[in-house]
Amino acid sequence: MTDAAAASHNFIRQIVLDERAANKHGGRVGTRFPPEPNGYLHLGHAKSICLNFGIAREFGGTCNLRFDDTNPAKEDIEYVESIKADVQWLGFDWTELRHASDYFEVFYRCAEKLIRDGKAFVCDLSADQVREYRGTLTEPGRNSPFRERSVEENLDLFGRMRAGEFADGAKTLRAKIDMASGNINLRDPALYRIRKVPHQNTGNAWCIYPMYDYAHCISDAVEGITHSLCTLEFEDHRPLYDWCLAQIDLPDHPELVQPLIDAGLKTNVSTPRQIEFARGNLDYTVMSKRKLMELVRDGLVAGWDDPRMPTLSGLRRRGFPPAAIRNFWERAGVTKQNSTIEFSVLEGCVREALDAAAPRRFAVLDPLKLVIANLPDDHAETLTFPNHPKNETFGTRSVAFSRELWIEREDFMETPVKGFHRLVPGGEVRLRGVGIVKCTDVEKDASGNVSAVHCTLDAETRHGMPGAERKVKGTIHWVSARHAIAAEVRLYDRLFNVVNPDDDSDGKTYRDHLNPDSMRIVRGWLEASLADAAPESAVQFERLGFFVADRRDHASGKPVFNRTVTLRDSWAQAAGK
Ligand code: ATP
Ligand code: MG
């Protein structure tokens, strides 16, 4: 893609291009991805990851992974580890790994500076009172009765808040901005609150914790972030972001970042610019951490990495290649307009990536026995098949062929419907890579179900024979019954069966829209070469779809495959598209 074409559907790239041309930040680019470690990353986060790491990569800049761990009660080390693994799996590596908690001492010193400059005060109002004083969208708020405390008193009280002298909620530190501001975020917002909760990184060292808006801008500035990219709901917070940085003025106050230097952390103080973009949304999907957490907690899925989950670990286990996810967000573009992308667009990216990358194999998932009556009982042959129809570098493989085969039950119809071109009594079909067989007989079990079909193979239609090119309407795949290996195959489909499962306007919730057919487990037969498949390797089962060896449960001797995606979009067909 040319620069101009790429920038046309990513306005942030255009801003970076322009600022570099103007030599802002000396042409340097620094971004960060700042997850809160309170859940697993999902597809929406991948948009932000691709954007932040992608911009840094494109412009030779840096991108940090920063855990926004300012909310100790909800956070967990399990999430930290999963986030790191997911970012790397997606194909990115951070310049520095940081935690907002690395900066607790810096935040504290900055707060003292605000107090000394008369820009912050300790407030004793309760949470309810603060709400009362705040005013509304149409009415200004009122000043807190504690707003005019002296600098000395504020410094003393703030020190005692840190020392643990006051109970949770008894006091807050608030910015002194403007209780009449049209932007409610500027009505003396809280900067610190008391929470006597141990923190995963800092243990019991702190019992006051900074608020997001205050911590985020300072973290960006001390890391030398040039472009702080976030989603649209932070647009109204930008004036506060800028206010904090302007008041604290880190570039002119190097003493404030001394604790980092003492701790051996690199700093490169900048004045970052916050830029907001629209969240990525997908139809047939819920993408809030809270709802994903509930699905896991209530056992509606098998865990965060259930292959039906839109989490990155779920998509990974489902077999979605990271390149397909990157490509998807690249094509979606970055704008300020909220929109919902069709799930089928993502599946299209997955098919495209797997079509190029996945070797072809034979598998039969709903088996029906096919006996070739004119071959001897002990007939054994090895046929050679290309591993990829469009790419010779994939090489070839051997597939055993014998008298008894498995074929898909749906490739045979005793009483064919109109337009059915596969095997029927008395009819012919091509066995992929073998030749043409004719159905001569049908075996049934006690309840009248077809249990086997008998055929004769036309030797004249085999490879290299004069009739090899003879045309019949259908071609079907098969595996040798004697050689095939048994496998568990998990047929996954969309987790929700409505376009917008978040829509609760009709009184229903996302839980009412779970697709009962989102997982079906079958026992299938695979060609023997799949015995050695490595966990997480992708294959196309010819005519059936793309599959992946399950990264948790698959083992040689106990194959388990997940269906990643079908070969065609059956949802669009069902919807009449
Ligand atoms: P959720 O709303 O799902 O709980 P969050 O925004 O609270 O997500 P964070 O851990 O705070 O989750 O997000 C880390 C980064 O990912 C933030 O910069 C956030 O803006 C971004 N992000 C989260 N969801 C999306 C999304 N759907 N599209 C784009 N970026 C997102
Ligand atoms: Mg958040």
Side-chain angles (χ1 to χ4, degrees), residues 173-236:
L173 183 75
R174 296 175 67 182
K176 200 188 272 191
I177 309 180
D178 178 6
M179 288 305 291
S181 173
N183 183 339
I184 291 186
N185 294 301
L186 296 180
R187 294 185 186 172
D188 293 3
L191 304 179
Y192 268 94
R193 58 189 175 147
I194 302 173
R195 291 227 62 192
K196 295 188 170 162
V197 181
H199 184 280
Q200 45 157 338
N201 263 356
T202 57
N204 291 314
W206 293 86
C207 63
I208 54 172
Y209 291 96
M211 305 304 288
Y212 174 88
D213 285 323
Y214 174 71
H216 204 84
C217 56
I218 300 176
S219 305
D220 284 341
V222 302
E223 288 179 22
I225 302 305
T226 57
H227 300 85
S228 178
L229 313 180
C230 62
T231 39
L232 283 179
E233 67 272 23
F234 291 101
E235 196 158 22
D236 289 345

Side-chain angles (χ1 to χ4, degrees), residues 33 120 157 178 191 213 233 332 369 403 412 424 431 510 565:
F33 173 64
L157 288 172
D178 178 6
L191 304 179
D213 285 323
E233 67 272 23
K369 180 74 67 71
R403 184 172 186 267
F412 174 78
V424 301
L431 287 183
Y510 67 97
V565 67

Side-chain angles (χ1 to χ4, degrees), residues 477-490:
H477 67 278
W478 51 271
V479 293
S480 163
R482 183 144 52 90
H483 302 90
I485 54 174
E488 175 176 328
V489 181
R490 301 169 179 169

Side-chain angles (χ1 to χ4, degrees), residues 34-36 38 45 68 212 233-234 279 289:
E36 196 180 333
N38 61 353
H45 293 115
D68 173 24
Y212 174 88
E233 67 272 23
F234 291 101
R279 275 180 180 260
K289 268 189 236 170

Side-chain angles (χ1 to χ4, degrees), residues 354-419:
L354 290 175
D355 185 50
R360 278 32 175 190
R361 294 290 183 265
F362 291 143
V364 172
L365 301 185
D366 184 12
L368 173 65
K369 180 74 67 71
L370 183 149
V371 180
I372 302 178
N374 61 340
L375 289 179
D377 279 352
D378 60 351
H379 182 83
E381 227 183 294
T382 305
L383 304 178
T384 302
F385 284 88
N387 286 325
H388 198 290
K390 293 171 258 182
N391 187 341
E392 280 183 13
T393 64
F394 277 71
T396 60
R397 71 187 189 286
S398 300
V399 177
F401 170 66
S402 63
R403 184 172 186 267
E404 296 202 353
L405 310 176
W406 295 115
I407 64 167
E408 293 291 343
R409 188 162 281 277
E410 66 163 33
D411 283 337
F412 174 78
M413 267 189 140
E414 193 177 13
T415 320
V417 295
K418 195 164 176 290

Side-chain angles (χ1 to χ4, degrees), residues 104-140:
F104 278 176
E105 190 62 41
V106 175
F107 300 149
Y108 186 80
R109 291 199 188 185
C110 291
E112 286 182 323
K113 175 175 190 295
L114 289 176
I115 294 173
R116 280 195 305 274
D117 294 346
K119 301 290 182 185
F121 65 99
V122 172
C123 183
D124 299 1
L125 292 181
S126 67
D128 284 342
Q129 290 170 314
V130 166
R131 220 166 293 128
E132 242 176 81
Y133 275 75
R134 188 180 292 135
T136 63
L137 285 173
T138 50
E139 277 169 59

